[in-house]
Amino acid sequence: MIRSIMRGGAALVAASSIAGLIWLVRDYANDKAALKLERAARIAAEASLERAEEAAAVHRAHLARAADQERQVQEIRNELQQMEGRDAPLSPLLRATAERLWPPE
């Protein structure tokens, strides 16, 4: 009787060990698949981040050019306003430019 209990106990330990091993292997496979999906998502996120950084750099360059152009236009406007009060008449080109900037009322 004790031998049959020992055999049953040994069989129970062996079955538990096999079940535990199967559970570990299945859990490892699930973790490996989840890791593969997370790596793919990370790679996609990094690519998206790189595209966003490149777009931001292009946008900053555009804003810098636009600010420079605005500064140049403002300098021209200031120069034209200063020339407007002088005794000498404006050249036809400057007169046409001034009329486009400040249409007569």
Side-chain angles (χ1 to χ4, degrees), residues 4-76:
S4 64
I5 293 175
M6 292 288 268
R7 281 187 220 165
L12 183 62
V13 168
S16 297
S17 297
I18 291 172
L21 182 62
I22 291 171
W23 178 75
L24 285 174
V25 169
R26 190 182 69 216
D27 192 43
Y28 172 77
N30 288 340
D31 288 347
K32 190 174 180 181
L35 180 62
K36 189 175 182 179
L37 289 174
E38 289 175 7
R39 282 183 181 160
R42 181 183 49 93
I43 289 170
E46 286 175 352
S48 177
L49 180 62
E50 286 176 10
R51 286 190 305 270
E53 287 173 347
E54 184 177 340
V58 169
H59 186 65
R60 281 190 299 273
H62 168 71
L63 290 176
R65 282 191 306 273
D68 188 46
Q69 287 175 348
E70 179 61 29
R71 183 187 49 76
Q72 290 174 353
V73 166
Q74 190 60 38
E75 287 175 3
I76 292 170

